[in-house]
Each structure stands twice: as C-alpha cells, then as structure tokens.
Amino acid sequence: MTDTKSPDTKPAAPKRVYEAPPTSRPITEAEAARAAKLAANEHIKIASGYLRGTLADGLLKHATGAISEDDGQLVKFHGMYLQDDRDLRPERTKKKLDKAYSFMIRLRIAGGVVTPKQWLVLDDIARTYAGNALRATTRQTFQYHGVIKSNLKRTMAAIDAALLDTIAACGDVNRNVMAATNPAQKKAHKAAYQLAKDISDSLLPKTGAWREIWLDGERVVGGEDGLEVEPIYGRTYLPRKFKTVIAVPPSNEVDIFAHDLGFIAILDGNNEVTGWNVTVGGGMGMTHGEPDTFPRTADVMGFCTTEDAIKVAEAVMTVQRDWGNRTNRKNARLKYTIERYGLDAFRAEVEKRLGKPLGEAKPYTFTNNGDRFGWTEGDDGRHHLTLYVPSGRIKDYEDGPQFLSGLRRVAEEHEGDFRLTANQNVIIANVPEAKRAAIEAVVDEYGMTKGAGALRRNSIACVAMPTCGLALAESERFLPGLMDDLEASLAKHGLEDEEITIRSTGCPNGCARPFLAEIGLVGRGPERYHLYLGAAFDGSRLGKLYREDASPAEVVSTLDPLFAEFAKAKQAGEHFGDYLIRAGHVAKTTNGPDFHERIGALK
C-alpha cells in the first residue's frame, strides 16, 4: 500500500492529557500547611485571624513608615499596597535614611459609578492626603498614591463617610467587579451594572477586620475563636487574585477575555438582556524567562440566565478556591487551573455546584475594546460626555488640562453621575439636555480633553515608576513621549486616523493588559521593552513577542516600516494586528500555551 501522505503534512497533535482534579477542600491548619509545603502567603492567611494579623499594632509604630512583611501581604486584602518613592531611594540611601514609604489605596467601586457628592469627597481626600491627584485605574476604580501611614485611618474614615470602601480591592479575593459603561444602551447597561454590584456584594469577604482596624469598630467574632466567618472563602481565601467583568456587545471595553470570570450580555432586538455567556480562565500576568507562565484569553464556557448568574459566579470562584495551586503562586490563577485540569472537567464541577447544566453559548459580536469619546445620547434622551484622561491621572497639569479642579466644578453642578471606564477615562453621565451647555462650558474652561488622536484614544499605561515596587521600566511617564514619535511616523504614512491599540506596562504582570494590544510594550529593564504585535483590535487574541529588549528609539524604528507597508497593503476595514499576521510578519497566538512559541519577526 502506497503512503500518499504529503511530507509537509504535520502529524495530528496528541490528545491533551489532564490531571485529575483534587477532591478535598484547601488546607487550613498550620501544621498540615507546613507539611504540604504550601506557598508562604497561605501560612500568612492561616495565621492572620481572618485578615487581622498585627496590622492594628503596626499602625502605632511611628519609628518607620512601613509595616511588617507579613502585614504587607495582608493589607492588600484591605485595598492597600506598601510602596516607596523609587526616585528618592538613591539620595535617601546615601543619607542612611529609611525609604520614603507610603501606601497606594484602591477603592472598591463595582461598575465604576460614583455620585457627584462622592466625587467631591474623593477629590477632598486627594487634595488632603494624596498629593493632589486621583488615578482612574484599568480596574474601573480609583487609586490614591502617596498616603503616609499616619494618615491611613483618616483617609479610610473619609472614604467610609462617602459610603465607599477599599475591602477586597486587592488580595486573594474577588476584586473590583467591572461592568460595561456604554451609556447609549441604557437597559443593557443597567442590567450589567446591577449584575456587577450583585456579584461584588455576594462575593465580598465577610470578616469584620476592615471596619475593626481602620474605623475602630468593635471586635467581630472570628479568628482565634475558631468560628468560620467566611462561609464562601474559608480561612485561606483564594489561591490568587480573581477578577470578574461584565460586557455588553458590541463594545468590549472591559476586555472580558483578560479576566478570570466574565459575563457577556446576550441582547434581543430591543437591547434587552436575555442572559449571559460565561467566560472563564483569562489573565495577563507572566514572568520574564519562565515559559510555564503566560497570559491567556478566556474560554466561553456556556450560557446562563440572569437569575442564575450570581450562583454561577460563586460556583466558578469556589471551584478555583478548591482546585487552584496553593504551592506555587506563579501558577495559581484560574487560567492555570483550567490548563491543568481541562475546561470540560471545570465546567462539569461548576454545573455540579450550580445544580444544573449551563446552556450552549449564544452568538455575539465585539467590534473594539476602546472607549467612545465626546458626547453621546442614550436611548432615554440623556447625554454622556467621555473625557480622555492620559493614563487616568486626574490632576491639574501645569500649562495643560485641569482635570482635578475642572471635575470638582462639574461635580458641584452635575445632577447625574460619573463613570470610570476600564481604559482609565471618565464619563460625565446622565446629563439632562438643559444642563449640557453648562457642563460643556466647564469642560472647555478647564481645558479638559473630549478626545485625542487615534493612537492615544486607544492607549493605556500602568503607573510603574516611581511608586510600583514591581516595575522594571517606566510606563506612565514613558508612553506619552513614545506616542509623539509614533504619531509622527503614522502621519508620515497617512495613518494618523487609523485606530490602533497601544498599551505599556513597566513589568510583565500586565496591569494595563499589554498582551491584548496591537502594540504591546512590556518593561524589561531601564529603557528596555519587549515589543508584542499581532493582537486583535477587539481584544479577543493575544499578541506575540516580536522584538526583545528594544529601546524607545528602536521601538519606533521597528514599527515605522511596518506602518509603511500596512498603509500600502491593508485591506478595507483591516486592523493593524490582523494585517501583521496575514502578511506573515508575526505568528498568530491562539491561546496562552502557545504564547511563547514561534516568537520574533518571521520576515
């Protein structure tokens, strides 16, 4: 018998073999945890008395602006990170002074919606304790930077007075739940926002530690008493952070495929939500030089009704609680759990805990993952103004936009609400027709930007230097200058109006979701960046490493000829990332496991 198989035909890929899932709950006893060689954070959580640790005592130690190493892990669950100003490190070290310690505080604001009254309180906190700046984050909430230890309790009391909090904004828990902000689809947005709030409330840690430590609340039973105060989480919470988002097509501005759990609204002809496609297993973080870590786009697991959505969220999170890796934190996110045990086994366990099968996923279409700038009118006749805020930094720029003062003025007159977007921008929402001119006048008076060039409209940058301890390179302070050069290059080739996503991070943890940008820049060292290309404009496909350790000038010189070729050869409606794959410049990433394969320029 003659073998007719072509010599170029690749053999069929071997069938994937998955591990058998665990059958027991996470270890919660100290001795057993030591024997099982669990990660250090597991021991800290077990010994913490439901997130109390020694935080209360540490706040009274005035000899240093820091807290203990263990408390530095626990305080994340309270919405804070201990940081220091890295710009000041060399001089302070030379003078044998302690580092310039301060805290980053992140709020929990499900769906990113605040009232004008709350905005005024947050503005006052920024001017009193946080260096005259608010920062809109990629998690659709606010961060404060530079709050010193002696001002922590005052800041938290002010946040509480605004009926807001910072519980679970960080840490190994379900973090701030994001929701679609498209105000033109009022019914669908209302449903998405309500689901975000309901999931946030349902999956919120129940410990009384936050109120007890920061607001001098009474001791709540738990911890050493041995009584369970966390019916969902247990004593050790989750193996790692867990992020949930709600999207409303056709906009994917929340980047649903970048998160552990997502709900995609399925709409009828009247823009009414009929249910939700459920996505699982997305995540951005990785570690340079460690190929067993990788970003991953989420899988669409099935469909559920609104009635079942909260139960689905709890089931997904508790399976991750029980199956997630608690010995190696670098492989502890849900994306690795699904890679280890398989989507079929994961879905089966979710359905078992839900008590019913999920439905088949419904068709949907995303067109982009950016924001719509300027004025839009909703289907209820209300008006909404999206402002472009570079890297989300809400402050008064010298000889530039006066965002902090201007938005304070808006809040004093506004009758609607404010919405933060997942792309770090601000929406002045629900403006009555009669008030539109007045809002417009304030925005113009303070030089606030109602849009930007095409590249900047689709840009995100993380904070990085000088406050983030993980940053290997600049990001927020680096990206604007790079975009100046790239905009000149695009204009030279007639592409100044071309919509291209660009995102920058100072390290591979991926807070600004760079691996889903058509141009992704990830810090490798001082003024050195890995350049990723080939992601999808709608956020559905990861990019691929194209050039390693590039300087800013090398990034520009690398992209310029690609822009030139794209301008001449692109097809109607074709986006930059899609073109680079079609033209053979970069390999297509299908999902996380092949992220590190076929890297580099193919031409």
Side-chain angles (χ1 to χ4, degrees):
M1 183 175 179
T2 304
D3 184 359
T4 58
K5 185 175 71 171
S6 166
D8 295 328
T9 301
K10 292 182 180 180
K15 186 176 180 180
R16 181 79 179 268
V17 178
Y18 296 102
E19 298 178 27
T23 57
S24 59
R25 288 283 297 269
I27 295 170
T28 60
E29 299 302 321
E31 192 60 40
R34 281 191 288 272
K37 298 182 179 179
L38 297 189
N41 288 59
E42 296 299 303
H43 301 280
I44 294 170
K45 288 181 282 188
I46 289 171
S48 73
Y50 295 102
L51 308 182
R52 291 174 175 84
T54 58
L55 279 169
D57 293 335
L59 293 174
L60 300 176
K61 295 179 179 178
H62 302 302
T64 176
I67 54 178
S68 73
E69 187 174 345
D70 284 2
D71 284 345
Q73 295 300 319
L74 288 179
V75 82
K76 296 176 184 178
F77 292 80
H78 298 255
M80 283 171 268
Y81 278 77
L82 175 64
Q83 301 180 330
D84 75 284
D85 190 328
R86 294 170 65 176
D87 287 349
L88 301 179
R89 276 186 192 177
E91 184 65 22
R92 293 182 71 86
T93 300
K94 184 178 178 181
K95 295 180 178 179
K96 298 183 179 180
L97 296 173
D98 206 2
K99 293 178 180 177
Y101 288 113
S102 64
F103 289 80
M104 181 274 283
I105 299 177
R106 183 180 299 152
L107 279 77
R108 181 179 66 96
I109 308 173
V113 178
V114 296
T115 66
K117 184 178 293 187
Q118 289 173 323
W119 187 286
L120 290 172
V121 174
L122 297 175
D123 170 271
D124 184 66
I125 293 170
R127 289 182 289 128
T128 306
Y129 302 118
N132 294 306
L134 272 167
R135 197 174 193 278
T137 79
T138 58
R139 292 299 309 154
Q140 205 176 35
T141 186
F142 289 113
Q143 288 180 182
Y144 292 114
H145 289 267
V147 181
I148 60 175
K149 186 167 78 170
S150 60
N151 284 333
L152 281 177
K153 292 182 74 170
R154 297 184 185 96
T155 303
M156 300 299 254
I159 291 171
D160 178 69
L163 303 180
L164 296 169
D165 61 57
T166 67
I167 306 167
C170 316
D172 300 343
V173 287
N174 180 60
R175 296 190 177 185
N176 194 56
V177 182
M178 302 202 299
T181 54
N182 186 347
Q185 298 167 280
K186 185 177 187 299
K187 295 176 183 176
H189 175 267
K190 183 178 180 181
Y193 175 62
Q194 189 60 53
L195 181 57
K197 282 180 59 66
D198 290 345
I199 291 175
S200 179
D201 292 342
S202 176
L203 302 184
L204 189 67
K206 302 300 187 284
T207 176
W210 189 87
R211 188 159 294 276
E212 176 188 320
I213 293 169
W214 306 109
L215 305 178
D216 296 323
E218 293 185 8
R219 173 76 182 195
V220 178
V221 173
E224 72 278 8
D225 299 315
L227 300 177
E228 175 138 320
V229 299
E230 294 289 9
I232 297 178
Y233 287 104
R235 290 179 66 188
T236 51
Y237 296 85
L238 300 180
R240 280 296 302 271
K241 56 185 155 183
F242 189 90
K243 298 178 179 180
T244 305
V245 297
I246 324 292
V248 177
S251 176
N252 183 28
E253 85 270 33
V254 295
D255 263 332
I256 197 158
F257 300 107
H259 297 91
D260 299 87
L261 172 63
F263 293 86
I264 301 173
I266 303 301
L267 309 178
D268 64 15
N270 297 317
N271 274 341
E272 297 273 8
V273 175
T274 61
W276 310 85
N277 280 352
V278 182
T279 63
V280 293
M284 290 288 98
M286 55 164 277
T287 303
H288 285 314
E290 298 188 18
D292 60 338
T293 68
F294 46 80
R296 186 181 191 275
T297 48
D299 298 303
V300 180
M301 185 171 67
F303 173 85
C304 73
T305 63
T306 297
E307 181 183 32
D308 289 332
I310 296 174
K311 296 176 184 176
V312 170
E314 182 175 324
V316 170
M317 194 187 77
T318 58
V319 176
Q320 166 62 1
R321 176 198 67 195
D322 299 344
W323 290 15
N325 190 335
R326 292 181 182 264
T327 60
N328 180 2
R329 285 180 66 81
K330 289 183 179 180
N331 288 94
R333 290 287 297 276
L334 177 58
K335 60 183 177 179
Y336 299 118
T337 301
I338 290 177
E339 288 294 329
R340 184 174 298 115
Y341 302 120
L343 182 63
D344 290 343
F346 187 85
R347 181 196 296 112
E349 183 65 20
V350 168
E351 292 174 335
K352 178 181 175 182
R353 299 186 186 200
L354 180 62
K356 63 171 70 173
L358 295 168
E360 290 295 318
K362 310 290 186 183
Y364 65 92
T365 300
F366 286 130
T367 56
N368 64 81
N369 61 350
D371 293 334
R372 297 193 306 173
F373 294 95
W375 286 101
T376 58
E377 183 176 355
D379 50 22
D380 61 348
R382 291 267 171 156
H383 298 263
H384 317 276
L385 177 60
T386 302
L387 300 176
Y388 168 68
V389 183
S391 300
R393 187 69 67 173
I394 301 170
K395 67 177 186 178
D396 292 343
Y397 291 86
E398 185 176 353
D399 299 323
Q402 306 292 293
F403 286 112
L404 194 68
S405 297
L407 287 169
R408 185 188 322 131
R409 272 280 308 280
V410 171
E412 291 167 350
E413 301 181 15
H414 188 30
E415 297 174 357
D417 54 58
F418 293 91
R419 301 176 186 182
L420 303 182
T421 79
N423 292 305
Q424 304 176 305
N425 299 305
V426 175
I427 302 175
I428 305 170
N430 285 310
V431 179
E433 174 70 38
K435 290 283 187 178
R436 175 169 164 161
I439 297 294
E440 177 86 11
V442 173
V443 169
D444 289 343
E445 179 184 351
Y446 286 85
M448 292 185 279
T449 43
K450 290 170 280 190
L455 190 68
R456 290 174 201 268
R457 287 198 302 267
N458 294 284
S459 67
I460 307 180
C462 72
V463 174
M465 304 289 189
T467 53
C468 179
L470 300 175
L472 304 171
E474 295 279 5
S475 180
E476 180 182 345
R477 299 193 296 195
F478 148 76
L479 189 58
L482 178 72
M483 287 194 293
D484 287 342
D485 294 335
L486 292 180
E487 284 176 331
S489 174
L490 288 165
K492 181 174 65 175
H493 302 298
L495 295 171
E496 59 268 31
D497 296 324
E498 187 71 29
E499 302 277 350
I500 300 174
T501 53
I502 179 170
R503 295 173 178 177
S504 168
T505 58
C507 81
N509 284 285
C511 292
R513 306 187 290 275
F515 306 113
L516 286 174
E518 293 176 285
I519 301 172
L521 297 147
V522 178
R524 177 72 171 163
E527 296 193 20
R528 313 300 295 184
Y529 298 85
H530 278 359
L531 173 63
Y532 292 84
L533 300 175
F537 185 71
D538 67 356
S540 62
R541 181 183 65 244
L542 296 166
K544 186 75 75 177
L545 179 58
Y546 185 82
R547 178 165 182 172
E548 300 182 72
D549 294 327
S551 69
E554 288 169 339
V555 170
V556 176
S557 65
T558 299
L559 288 172
D560 186 75
L562 296 176
F563 290 157
E565 185 182 317
F566 176 55
K568 295 176 181 177
K570 72 184 182 80
Q571 297 174 353
E574 187 173 34
H575 288 286
F576 184 57
D578 297 330
Y579 170 76
L580 293 177
I581 292 172
R582 179 175 67 83
H585 287 287
V586 64
K588 181 179 181 179
T589 298
T590 58
N591 212 331
D594 76 340
F595 179 76
H596 297 296
E597 296 178 3
R598 298 184 68 203
I599 62 173
L602 301 184
K603 283 188 176 182

